[in-house]
């Protein structure tokens, strides 16, 4: 579904991503794990068209997208939930969700999809007329995911969904991510919390200072000595 080929990304003189290649197949959860500054967010921002590569290609459903404007990339079915949530705090929960469906052409399906989001995140239904600013961190994360789901994505890009959340919310968010996969959405998941990410991922890639240093199934990486030492405190 997504093929990243020999991708390099620079910020001025700094090379954040160094000639990396990886792919995400339809129906998978693929995770990219790595320490702070390894380049995880840069990869997601490049896929979304927010940052342009200095070399390499990104192919989505057989089509190059690395020169496409972000709006078009979203229209092709890629949605990103950025790190730190970025919900519109002064808008209500309902208004935030409405923004997710703004660019959709299939207006007739929007009401049913909104109902699905409310079923998946009942707390959002209870709080739909409240300003997003009044939600807890975990609830804002759910709202950001709900808003991304309202774009009806084929590929969902999640940037550190567990960041700053209490353990009970982390469990809930990861359960929901698996549920979203079961319903047919492919997921590329960036996480510092390597353990939970690898537990739900079909495959993973380990990123170190802009390079992929290890790849395997979620199980293989969980069992690997290098991953145990570097990311799982074992
Ligand atoms: P974190 O988990 O801490 O967010 P990350 O793996 O997502 O880290 P990136 O945010 O992709 O890492 O950053 C990769 C590298 O690029 C880092 O060295 C970072 O300092 C640098 N970088 C990121 N954004 C910019 C920018 N806008 N300008 C200059 N350098 C940047």
């Amino acid at each position: 579904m997504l093929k990243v080929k020999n991708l390099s990304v620079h910020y001025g003189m700094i090379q954040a991503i160094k000639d990396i290649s990886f792919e995400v197949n339809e129906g998978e959860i693929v995770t990219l794990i790595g320490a702070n500054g390894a380049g995880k967010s840069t990869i997601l921002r490049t896929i979304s068209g927010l940052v342009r590569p200095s070399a390499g290609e990104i192919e989505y459903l057989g089509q190059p997208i690395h020169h496409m404007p972000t709006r078009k990339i979203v229209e092709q079915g890629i949605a990103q939930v950025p790190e730190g949530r970025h919900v519109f705090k002064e808008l209500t929960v309902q208004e935030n969700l409405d923004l997710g469906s703004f660019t959709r052409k299939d207006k007739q399906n929007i009401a049913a999809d909104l109902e699905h989001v409310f079923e998946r995140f009942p707390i959002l239904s209870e709080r739909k007329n409240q300003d997003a600013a009044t939600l807890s961190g975990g609830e804002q994360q759910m709202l950001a995911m709900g808003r991304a789901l309202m774009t009806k994505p084929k590929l969902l890009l999640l940037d550190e969904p567990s960041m700053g959340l209490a353990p009970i919310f982390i469990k809930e968010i990861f359960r929901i991510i698996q549920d979203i996969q079961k319903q047919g959405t492919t997921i590329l998941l960036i996480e510092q919390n390597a353990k939970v990410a690898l537990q739900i991922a079909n495959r993973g890639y380990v990123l170190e200072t802009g390079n992929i240093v290890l790849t395997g199934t979620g199980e293989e990486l969980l069992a690997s000595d290098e991953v145990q030492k570097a990311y799982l405190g074992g």
Side-chain angles (χ1 to χ4, degrees):
M1 178 178 232
L2 184 80
K3 282 197 177 126
V4 173
K5 295 187 230 168
N6 302 107
L7 185 76
S8 291
V9 181
H10 285 77
Y11 294 109
M13 299 290 284
I14 300 169
Q15 185 166 7
I17 299 298
K18 299 168 184 160
D19 192 30
I20 69 164
S21 299
F22 68 92
E23 53 186 59
V24 181
N25 300 310
E26 193 159 355
E28 284 187 311
I29 295 179
V30 170
T31 187
L32 302 177
I33 61 172
N36 276 319
K40 305 181 299 295
S41 303
T42 299
I43 293 176
L44 287 201
R45 287 202 293 265
T46 312
I47 297 169
S48 305
L50 300 169
V51 172
R52 295 295 168 192
S54 39
E57 286 169 29
I58 303 175
E59 213 181 270
Y60 168 70
L61 298 175
Q63 212 189 352
I65 59 165
H66 50 281
H67 295 307
M68 259 184 206
T70 297
R71 177 183 53 78
K72 272 198 97 178
I73 294 174
V74 173
E75 278 174 15
Q76 309 287 313
I78 299 183
Q80 180 172 355
V81 180
E83 188 176 8
R85 274 82 76 174
H86 296 284
V87 296
F88 294 97
K89 295 209 166 64
E90 68 285 9
L91 299 182
T92 66
V93 167
Q94 171 90 51
E95 287 164 343
N96 268 277
L97 292 171
D98 289 345
L99 281 176
S101 55
F102 191 66
T103 60
R104 273 172 63 172
K105 302 215 162 64
D106 60 330
K107 301 287 180 208
Q108 70 283 4
N109 300 323
I110 289 175
D113 288 339
L114 185 64
E115 272 319 302
H116 284 146
V117 168
F118 283 149
E119 277 164 28
R120 189 170 271 143
F121 304 103
I123 192 80
L124 298 183
S125 175
E126 283 169 34
R127 305 281 160 92
K128 64 181 166 197
N129 297 318
Q130 247 170 260
D131 283 356
T134 64
L135 300 180
S136 75
E139 290 161 358
Q140 286 184 28
Q141 179 63 49
M142 291 181 194
L143 178 56
M145 282 172 68
R147 189 181 59 191
L149 290 175
M150 286 305 294
T151 69
K152 205 146 204 196
K154 297 190 182 92
L155 175 64
L156 187 61
L157 310 176
L158 296 173
D159 196 347
E160 308 246 5
S162 77
M163 184 142 82
L165 299 188
I168 182 170
F169 272 128
I170 295 181
K171 250 180 127 179
E172 175 71 0
I173 289 281
F174 278 81
R175 191 190 59 71
I176 291 165
I177 293 170
Q178 283 182 295
D179 201 40
I180 293 170
Q181 176 196 29
K182 281 197 198 109
Q183 305 209 339
T185 302
T186 306
I187 293 166
L188 179 58
L189 167 68
I190 304 289
E191 260 297 335
Q192 283 207 40
N193 194 336
K195 191 169 174 191
V196 267
L198 291 172
Q199 279 169 348
I200 66 161
N202 299 97
R203 293 185 306 109
Y205 295 88
V206 180
L207 208 64
E208 269 174 25
T209 55
N211 294 292
I212 289 174
V213 293
L214 208 60
T215 178
T217 64
E219 273 172 33
E220 285 164 353
L221 291 175
L222 267 177
S224 120
D225 284 346
E226 284 134 296
V227 173
Q228 285 279 341
K229 266 200 215 104
Y231 303 102
L232 305 176

